[in-house]
């Protein structure tokens, strides 16, 4: 018969045990557990031979490490070291290589990254395509908008090499991502499509990498296409970048043709990172993102020293101290490691996590506590300047808090977005968001909808303007609502200026005439026209930024059947005849719908506004007047007629004076209604008007 017993427990007293049968004292044991209120006696099962063997194996496979902090000592159990970590630990610093892939949009960066990951055994062949494009918007649009990283181990001539790859965006709006990626790399693969040749963003990326001192390896992709012209592409790279064609690697990333020749070129031509793991820790914060389970995760580049879980680090930017909860590498997903050494790029997160998302400042330097006086912080990154501004409002004001959390999480992953709270009488509380370009704005909006399920209203993009007052003070206006009115301009403003950009367009010569007409129609000023091959043209124009964000790139692609490419950079501020265009409803301005435009564009845009807004406003009990005003001047008008009761319906054979009397009484009633009544416009009308 199996022995059993009764257990009696009293608060704060020793439990009494009544045994009905004799307990097997040698096989069993009793253990007391003390809680805040009571003491419990718990029976521990007998330990068998199998359990003893398992405990012995665990004791041998695991280790304990003592962590000393300023207040307490912690004992942290270290996980068993795997084969991957053993291989990495045996690789010295001189066999590390950090490199990135840069190219124009749609030249095959992500596809080449897949082939390299397959070649090194990081991912299985024939699996998920474009594995480094992790965002839904990237897969939907077929472009890279966020730089992604991955570590690889490659055996070359019998020796293991630790390679760190960064896949960068190709569009000019995400240049800040490319610039940050260069800080963790010693070289770059300059990828060019053999069928397209050198394009605008290829030129921009080359000069950006050249200024950072990176070693460039030319890669010609898509050489297997029927339309590929490899000799012409090599000639362009030599004449434009002075790169040796003999060092170029000809590949087809889609089929894997000659991809195996890329990594040996990386090992032989790109230098190893400089660092010393014996020095005090010095790491650079390169990127960050938000995880539901881990909180704020930081992507870091270790310049000196080493970091492991349990270390206490100090932030030079905020002055705060944190305990490291976990370190690891991207392989290609987050893979925990025991330690990160000098020269490596990996991720860390803190326990407890950061209290505020804004504490993760890109370009910040961290070191171990106690070394902050001896370690020199790294220079960090130049803050990107927002060039396009929009106002964002939740469709339902009850979703304001949820939308604010969603915006903060995305801005943690995209620090080039500026954020400022704003309110509107028509649309409620919202934010004024600043972006690097119109595509950047569109991608941000898609991420809010896809990743967070947000319902949001985005106003048309605007650009900043500069006001030079008569006193000499200069003020940059980012919100059209703050633009000075006509009286202030006449009395106290010396000059109004708008930003210009230097735009570089590469295109086939057959579309040159159409593109020049497009640039001239958008108030462009031609600066340079150069044939860098017999059929390819480089065209440079100085163009107002306000025209550039007004779907200029879409018009350019349409005119050239997709063959033209474009890049731009800031040029200067120019004095211009600009006015504030407003939408008036019954002579009252709608604050959410205003824009600063050139005077020559005011009438055309005003007619578009009033026609579109009229289609979304319901009829009222009195007349609704919709106007577009440029300063004090009305440039367009539409009228919505009121509901009108037929007061003459009851009259059959009355005289004219009776009819006139009834109509005059109706007119007087409408005047009284208009004097005391307010127009009621549903918020859905503004949402439909602002919708694209």
């Amino acid at each position: 018969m199996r022995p059993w017993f009764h257990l009696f427990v009293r608060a704060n007293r020793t439990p009494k045990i009544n045994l009905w049968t004799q307990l097997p004292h040698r096989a069993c044991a009793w253990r007391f557990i003390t809680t805040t209120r009571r003491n419990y006696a718990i029976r521990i099962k007998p330990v068998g031979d199998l359990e003893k063997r398992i405990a012995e194996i665990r004791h041998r496979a695991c280790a304990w490490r003592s962590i000393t902090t300023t207040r307490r000592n912690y004992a942290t159990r270290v996980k068993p070291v795997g084969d991957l970590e053993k291989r990495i630990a045996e690789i010295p610093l001189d066999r590390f290589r950090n490199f990135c892939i840069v190219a124009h949009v749609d030249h095959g960066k992500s596809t080449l990254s897949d082939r390299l990951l397959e070649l090194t055994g990081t991912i299985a062949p024939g699996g998920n395509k474009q594995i480094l494009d992790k965002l839904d918007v990237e897969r939907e649009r077929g472009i890279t908008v966020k730089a992604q990283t991955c570590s690889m181990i490659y055996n070359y001539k019998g020796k293991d090499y630790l390679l760190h790859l960064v896949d960068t965006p190709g569009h000019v709006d995400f240049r800040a991502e490319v610039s940050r990626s260069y800080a963790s790399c010693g070289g770059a693969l300059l990828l060019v499509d053999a069928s397209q040749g050198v394009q605008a963003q290829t030129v921009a990326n080359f000069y950006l990498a050249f200024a950072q001192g990176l070693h460039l390896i030319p890669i010609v992709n898509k050489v297997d296409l029927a339309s590929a012209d490899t000799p012409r592409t090599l000639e362009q790279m030599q004449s434009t970048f002075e790169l040796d064609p003999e060092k170029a690697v000809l590949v087809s990333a889609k089929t894997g043709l000659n991809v195996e020749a890329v990594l040996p070129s990386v090992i032989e031509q790109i230098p190893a990172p400089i660092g010393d793991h014996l020095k005090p820790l010095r790491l650079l914060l390169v990127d960050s993102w938000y995880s539901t389970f881990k909180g704020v995760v930081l992507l870091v580049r270790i310049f000196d020293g080493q970091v492991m879980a349990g270390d206490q680090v100090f932030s030079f930017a905020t002055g705060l101290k944190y305990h490291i909860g976990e370190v690891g590498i991207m392989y290609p997903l987050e893979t925990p490691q025991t330690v990160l050494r000098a020269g490596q790029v990996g991720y860390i997160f803190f326990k407890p996590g950061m209290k505020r998302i804004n504490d993760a400042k890109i370009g910040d330097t961290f070191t171990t506590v106690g070394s902050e006086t001896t370690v020199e912080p790294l220079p960090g990154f130049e803050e990107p300047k927002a060039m396009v501004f929009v106002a964002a409002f939740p469709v339902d004001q009850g979703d304001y808090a949820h939308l604010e959390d969603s915006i903060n999480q995305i801005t943690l992953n995209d620090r080039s977005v500026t954020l400022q709270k704003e309110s509107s009488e028509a649309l409620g509380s919202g934010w004024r968001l600043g972006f690097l370009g119109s595509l950047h704005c569109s991608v941000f909006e898609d991420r809010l909808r896809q990743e967070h399920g947000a319902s949001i209203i985005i106003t048309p993009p605007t650009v900043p303007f500069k006001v030079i007052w008569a006193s000499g003070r200069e003020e940059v206006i980012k919100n059209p609502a703050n633009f000075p009115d006509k009286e202030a301009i006449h009395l106290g403003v010396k000059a109004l200026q708008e930003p210009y950009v230097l735009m570089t367009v590469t295109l086939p010569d057959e579309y040159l005439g159409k593109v020049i007409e497009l640039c001239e129609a958008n108030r462009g000023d031609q600066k340079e026209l150069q044939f860098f091959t017999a059929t390819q043209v480089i065209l440079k124009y100085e163009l107002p930024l306000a025209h550039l964000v007004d779907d200029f790139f879409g018009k350019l692609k349409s005119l050239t059947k997709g063959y033209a490419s474009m890049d731009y950079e800031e040029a200067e501020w120019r004095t211009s005849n600009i006015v504030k265009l407003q939408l008036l409803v019954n002579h009252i301005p709608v604050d959410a719908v205003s824009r600063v435009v050139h005077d020559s564009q005011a009438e055309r845009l005003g007619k578009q506004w009033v026609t579109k807004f009229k289609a979304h406003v319901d009829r009222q009990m009195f007349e609704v007047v919709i106007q577009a005003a440029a300063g004090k001047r009305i440039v367009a008008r539409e009228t919505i007629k009121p509901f009108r009761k037929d007061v003459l319906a009851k009259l059959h054979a009355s005289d004219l004076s009776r009819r006139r009397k009834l109509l005059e009484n109706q007119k007087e009633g409408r005047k009284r209604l208009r004097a005391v009544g307010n127009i009621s416009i549903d918020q859905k009308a503004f949402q439909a008007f602002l919708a694209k």
Side-chain angles (χ1 to χ4, degrees):
M1 180 176 178
R2 182 179 178 183
W4 60 284
F5 58 89
H6 287 290
L7 175 65
F8 300 94
V9 180
R10 295 181 182 179
N12 299 323
R13 294 186 180 182
T14 305
K16 296 181 179 180
I17 303 174
N18 293 339
L19 299 180
W20 285 39
T21 59
Q22 187 178 0
L23 290 174
H25 296 285
R26 296 180 180 179
C28 303
W30 292 88
R31 180 167 147 246
F32 286 90
I33 300 176
T34 302
T35 65
T36 54
R37 294 185 179 181
R38 298 175 179 175
N39 297 327
Y40 297 91
I42 295 178
R43 186 178 184 184
I44 302 175
K45 295 182 179 180
V47 178
D49 294 336
L50 177 61
E51 191 169 355
K52 289 180 180 179
R53 294 178 65 185
I54 293 175
E56 185 178 357
I57 293 172
R58 286 177 177 173
H59 180 74
R60 292 179 180 178
C62 302
W64 293 84
R65 184 162 72 92
S66 177
I67 302 171
T68 302
T69 65
T70 54
R71 294 186 179 181
R72 300 176 181 175
N73 294 329
Y74 297 91
T76 301
R77 194 171 190 176
V78 182
K79 296 181 179 180
V81 178
D83 294 336
L84 174 64
E85 191 165 356
K86 289 180 180 178
R87 292 183 66 185
I88 294 176
E90 295 172 356
I91 302 175
L93 180 62
D94 60 354
R95 295 211 299 267
F96 287 7
R97 298 292 185 273
N98 300 335
F99 68 100
C100 59
I101 305 177
V102 294
H104 190 81
V105 179
D106 201 30
H107 277 209
K109 296 182 301 298
S110 299
T111 307
L112 179 60
S113 300
D114 284 350
R115 300 292 83 78
L116 296 179
L117 295 177
E118 292 174 358
L119 185 64
T120 57
T122 308
I123 62 174
N128 191 12
K129 303 300 181 184
Q130 297 185 343
I131 193 169
L132 294 185
D133 286 345
K134 299 177 181 179
L135 302 178
D136 292 337
V137 67
E138 292 179 318
R139 297 182 178 275
E140 179 183 316
R141 293 175 179 251
I143 60 174
T144 302
V145 301
K146 182 66 184 173
Q148 300 292 349
T149 64
C150 184
S151 296
M152 308 176 290
I153 297 180
Y154 180 66
N155 190 278
Y156 178 64
K157 294 183 179 181
K159 297 181 180 180
D160 282 345
Y161 286 81
L162 181 62
L163 309 178
H164 178 75
L165 166 68
V166 183
D167 182 20
T168 61
H171 197 276
V172 62
D173 284 6
F174 308 103
R175 185 181 295 177
E177 291 284 329
V178 181
S179 178
R180 287 204 304 268
S181 301
Y182 288 164
S184 60
C185 297
L189 304 181
L190 187 64
L191 191 68
V192 179
D193 187 344
S195 61
Q196 300 289 336
V198 173
Q199 294 188 285
Q201 194 60 31
T202 313
V203 179
N205 286 331
F206 168 80
Y207 286 112
L208 190 61
F210 186 78
Q212 297 270 357
L214 300 185
H215 184 87
L216 295 170
I217 300 176
I219 308 290
V220 180
N221 191 23
K222 304 183 184 180
V223 295
D224 59 326
L225 294 180
S227 58
D229 191 349
T230 304
R232 183 202 65 174
T233 304
L234 292 173
E235 180 187 352
Q236 290 177 358
M237 297 179 76
Q238 183 180 21
S239 60
T240 309
F241 309 133
E242 297 182 357
L243 296 176
D244 188 358
E246 295 182 357
K247 293 185 178 181
V249 183
L250 311 182
V251 302
S252 172
K254 185 175 182 179
T255 63
L257 176 66
N258 202 34
V259 173
E260 64 276 3
V262 175
L263 292 182
S265 299
V266 170
I267 292 173
E268 293 173 357
Q269 299 184 41
I270 293 179
I274 300 174
D276 187 354
H277 69 280
L278 299 178
K279 289 184 178 181
L281 175 67
R282 186 170 63 155
L283 62 84
L284 178 69
L285 176 54
V286 178
D287 200 359
S288 60
W289 61 90
Y290 184 81
S291 170
T292 306
F293 303 102
K294 299 178 181 179
V296 179
V297 183
L298 310 180
L299 183 71
V300 297
R301 157 79 153 87
I302 314 296
F303 281 86
D304 290 311
Q306 60 183 16
V307 61
M308 59 182 64
D311 289 348
Q312 190 179 21
V313 295
F314 172 83
S315 166
F316 280 94
T318 63
L320 300 176
K321 300 176 182 179
Y322 303 96
H323 287 282
I324 303 292
E326 181 180 290
V327 301
I329 60 174
M330 307 300 294
Y331 190 78
L333 303 178
E334 297 174 9
T335 305
Q337 301 284 289
T338 303
V339 63
L340 290 179
R341 294 181 288 152
Q344 282 190 274
V345 178
Y347 73 89
I348 63 174
F349 67 85
F350 304 127
K351 283 187 178 180
M354 286 185 168
K355 300 297 183 183
R356 299 183 300 272
I357 289 178
N358 292 332
D359 288 343
K361 298 185 180 298
I362 303 300
D364 188 10
T365 303
F366 287 82
T367 187
T368 49
V369 172
S371 302
E372 53 266 29
T373 58
T374 59
V375 171
E376 185 71 21
L378 296 161
F381 305 113
E382 182 182 356
E383 288 290 334
K385 297 180 181 179
M387 304 180 74
V388 175
F389 295 88
V390 300
F393 303 92
V395 173
D396 183 359
Q397 283 294 312
D399 297 334
Y400 180 86
H402 168 68
L403 185 58
E404 185 176 24
D405 291 339
S406 302
I407 290 176
N408 286 333
Q409 290 182 21
I410 296 183
T411 52
L412 173 68
N413 190 229
D414 187 358
R415 289 309 179 88
S416 53
V417 179
T418 61
L419 183 65
Q420 184 180 359
K421 290 188 177 181
E422 184 176 295
S423 62
S424 166
E425 293 182 4
L427 299 175
S429 300
W431 302 268
R432 170 70 48 174
L433 302 173
F435 301 95
L436 302 182
S438 54
L439 178 63
H440 188 199
C441 173
S442 177
V443 167
F444 187 89
E445 181 182 355
D446 287 348
R447 290 187 65 184
L448 277 177
R449 299 183 193 278
Q450 294 174 359
E451 299 176 19
H452 299 273
S455 298
I456 190 171
I457 304 170
I458 299 288
T459 62
T462 61
V463 300
F465 295 90
K466 182 181 289 186
V467 178
I468 302 177
W469 299 93
S471 61
R473 181 173 63 93
E474 296 184 357
E475 181 182 2
V476 177
I477 304 234
K478 300 177 181 178
N479 189 344
N482 300 329
F483 195 80
D485 55 21
K486 202 70 175 177
E487 289 82 1
I489 292 175
H490 280 300
L491 296 177
V493 175
K494 181 179 179 181
L496 296 173
Q497 295 183 342
E498 63 175 334
Y500 271 67
V501 295
L502 178 61
M503 179 186 64
T504 303
V505 181
T506 61
L507 69 154
D509 59 347
E510 58 185 297
Y511 303 108
L512 181 59
K514 295 181 179 179
V515 172
I516 289 178
E517 290 179 4
L518 176 65
C519 295
E520 295 292 338
N522 285 273
R523 299 166 47 222
D525 183 14
Q526 187 179 130
K527 292 299 179 182
E528 186 179 337
L529 175 61
Q530 175 187 356
F531 282 81
F532 69 100
T533 66
T535 58
Q536 290 287 319
V537 183
I538 293 181
L539 185 63
K540 292 188 177 181
Y541 262 86
E542 284 191 353
L543 198 74
L545 180 59
H547 289 269
L548 189 70
V549 302
D550 190 18
D551 198 27
F552 182 87
F553 187 60
K555 299 171 185 175
L556 178 66
K557 284 288 186 182
S558 177
L559 281 177
T560 61
K561 299 180 180 178
Y563 285 107
S565 61
M566 184 188 73
D567 179 44
Y568 64 89
E569 60 185 13
E570 293 181 64
E572 59 181 353
W573 294 89
R574 289 191 185 180
T575 302
S576 182
N577 184 19
I578 51 179
V579 294
K580 179 180 178 181
L581 184 64
Q582 286 184 297
L583 186 71
L584 309 179
V585 179
N586 276 8
H587 311 290
I588 299 175
V590 180
D591 57 349
V593 185
S594 61
R595 188 173 171 184
V596 179
V597 300
H598 193 265
D599 188 65
S600 62
Q601 309 290 323
E603 186 173 345
R604 177 182 61 85
L605 283 176
K607 290 181 179 179
Q608 293 178 1
W609 280 15
V610 297
T611 303
K612 185 177 180 181
F613 195 72
K614 178 184 178 181
H616 300 294
V617 177
D618 297 329
R619 292 179 68 187
Q620 308 286 325
M621 292 302 296
F622 48 88
E623 185 179 74
V624 178
V625 178
I626 303 171
Q627 297 170 309
K632 293 288 186 180
R633 177 168 55 95
I634 302 299
V635 295
R637 168 176 172 149
E638 290 284 349
T639 304
I640 300 177
K641 295 297 183 181
F643 290 115
R644 181 174 180 271
K645 181 180 179 181
D646 189 3
V647 295
L648 304 180
K650 59 184 179 180
L651 301 179
H652 298 284
S654 60
D655 62 332
L656 185 61
S657 62
R658 175 61 176 165
R659 293 173 179 271
R660 286 179 175 174
K661 182 179 179 181
L662 291 175
L663 291 175
E664 289 296 328
N665 289 339
Q666 185 184 45
K667 184 184 294 185
E668 291 296 326
R670 294 216 171 267
K671 287 183 179 179
R672 290 192 300 269
L673 178 63
R674 190 161 54 245
V676 299
N678 291 322
I679 182 172
S680 175
I681 298 180
D682 191 5
Q683 192 181 34
K684 293 181 179 179
F686 293 102
Q687 297 173 12
F689 173 75
L690 295 173
K692 297 178 182 177

